[in-house]
Amino acid sequence: MLLEEPLETLRKSLGTARIVAFTGAGISAESGIPTFRGPNGLWKSYSPEKLATLEAFSRDPRLVWEWYDWRRQIIHQAQPNSGHRALAEIERRAAGRFTLVTQNVDGLHDRAGSRSVVKLHGDIWRVRCTGCQAEEPNEQVPLAPLPPLCRCGALLRPAVVWFGEALPEGAWERAHEAAARAEVFLVIGTSAMVYPAAGLVQIACHSGARVAIVNPDPTPADEFADWILRGPAGEILARLL
Ligand code: NAD
C-alpha cells in the first residue's frame, strides 16, 4: 500500500533525530471532540471566531461561558485516543530529544501520559480573574454559577488564548526554540491557519527540519512537507510506532 513507504522512511528518520510534534484539534477528533473548522464544529450556529474573543466575552460573558461549559462537558467525557498515546510513547522512546507543542486546550495529551507539553493556546481546565489576574485550576463540570466569579468579585475567564490575543510568552519561546532546533517536525491534525502558531512550520522548515504532515485533508503547510500522511492521526501514529 502507498502509505507504507513514507511511514517506513519517517519511522527511520525518528531514530536519533531531535523531534517536535505540533498538534491541533484534529488529533482529538477521534476522541469525539469537535474541531473548529470541521462539519461538527458549530454550537448554536455561532462560529468560534465570534465566541473566542475578548469582545464577545465583554459583550456577553454568560454566552461565552455557556460555550466553554459545553466544550468542557464534551472533553470531560472524552478519552485520549491512540494518537495521543502514540505521542506519549514517542516521548518515552526519544527522551531528551522530543518536544510536544499543542494548540489544543483539552488536556488530552497530559491524560495520555505526555510529560512535557508546551500549551500555546492555554488550558480549558484553568481560569483566570479578569480583575486580580489570579489563575487557578478549575475542573468543575458543569460549571455553576455561569459566569463564574473570582473571590475578589470580578469575572473569571477561561485561561485560554482568544483570537487577537498574544500567546503566553514562555510557551511561545519554548516552541520557537524547539522548532528552530528540530530535525523532524511532525504537524498533526491542524489546519495550520491560526498564526502565530502555524508559523512554527516555516520556522522549522527554514531551519533545516524535515516536515511530516498527518491530516486527512490538505493544509497550507503541505508545501513545506517531506512526508504527507493522509488519514486520521490516531490510525497513522499508531502505525508509525
Ligand atoms: P482546526 O479546527 O482549524 O483544524 C483541524 C484540522 O484537523 C483540520 O485540518 C482537519 O482536516 C484535521 N483533522 C480532522 N480530523 C482529523 C483526524 N482524525 N486526524 C488528523 N487530523 C484531523 O484546528 P486547529 O488547527 O487546532 O486550530 C484552531 C484552534 O482551535 C486552535 O487554536 C485550538 O486552540 C482550537 N481548538 C482546540 C480544540 C481542542 O483543544 N481539542 C478543539 C477545537 C479547537
Side-chain angles (χ1 to χ4, degrees):
M1 189 177 151
L2 191 64
L3 193 56
E4 287 308 325
E5 193 197 322
L7 261 183
E8 187 53 37
T9 57
L10 177 57
R11 190 181 298 124
K12 280 194 184 128
S13 80
L14 296 179
T16 55
R18 274 192 301 277
I19 308 162
V20 172
F22 172 54
T23 65
I27 195 166
S28 296
E30 288 156 87
S31 295
I33 300 172
T35 62
F36 271 5
R37 292 181 178 77
N40 303 316
L42 294 177
W43 177 77
K44 293 187 184 178
S45 80
Y46 290 95
S47 74
E49 285 83 355
K50 296 248 165 65
L51 291 163
T53 67
L54 188 57
E55 294 71 38
F57 186 74
S58 308
R59 198 168 43 240
D60 194 344
R62 187 184 163 90
L63 175 76
V64 172
W65 261 117
E66 280 176 357
W67 181 56
Y68 276 96
D69 193 41
W70 171 76
R71 291 178 60 198
R72 283 163 59 114
Q73 291 181 41
I74 294 173
I75 294 166
H76 180 69
Q77 287 165 13
Q79 298 300 326
N81 64 52
S82 49
H84 300 104
R85 288 195 297 273
L87 290 178
E89 179 57 26
I90 294 175
E91 180 180 11
R92 276 189 287 277
R93 293 186 192 177
R97 54 183 176 86
F98 177 83
T99 308
L100 176 55
V101 179
T102 190
Q103 299 166 89
N104 293 351
V105 297
D106 58 27
L108 289 187
H109 285 305
D110 310 84
R111 282 169 57 194
S114 287
R115 288 285 154 255
S116 144
V117 186
V118 181
K119 294 178 185 173
L120 281 182
H121 291 164
D123 187 335
I124 203 167
W125 299 112
R126 296 181 69 81
V127 292
R128 186 165 70 244
C129 179
T130 55
C132 69
Q133 301 300 319
E135 192 179 307
E136 61 180 27
N138 178 312
E139 300 192 353
Q140 193 191 354
V141 174
L143 256 178
L146 281 184
L149 297 179
C150 180
R151 276 178 292 277
C152 78
L155 276 176
L156 289 169
R157 59 165 281 178
V160 300
V161 177
W162 283 329
F163 291 105
E165 292 186 319
L167 303 189
E169 209 171 287
W172 173 249
E173 274 168 13
R174 280 176 70 195
H176 189 288
E177 191 185 319
R181 296 182 68 231
E183 291 166 315
V184 178
F185 193 87
L186 308 169
V187 184
I188 304 162
T190 173
S191 59
M193 291 191 334
V194 178
Y195 279 79
L200 291 172
V201 186
Q202 283 103 305
I203 291 166
C205 181
H206 293 150
S207 309
R210 287 191 290 163
V211 174
I213 311 268
V214 180
N215 198 313
D217 302 309
T219 77
D222 292 5
E223 64 172 290
F224 302 103
D226 295 270
W227 296 272
I228 296 185
L229 303 165
R230 286 263 174 264
E235 199 181 306
I236 290 182
L237 293 177
R239 286 171 64 189
L240 181 64
L241 278 185

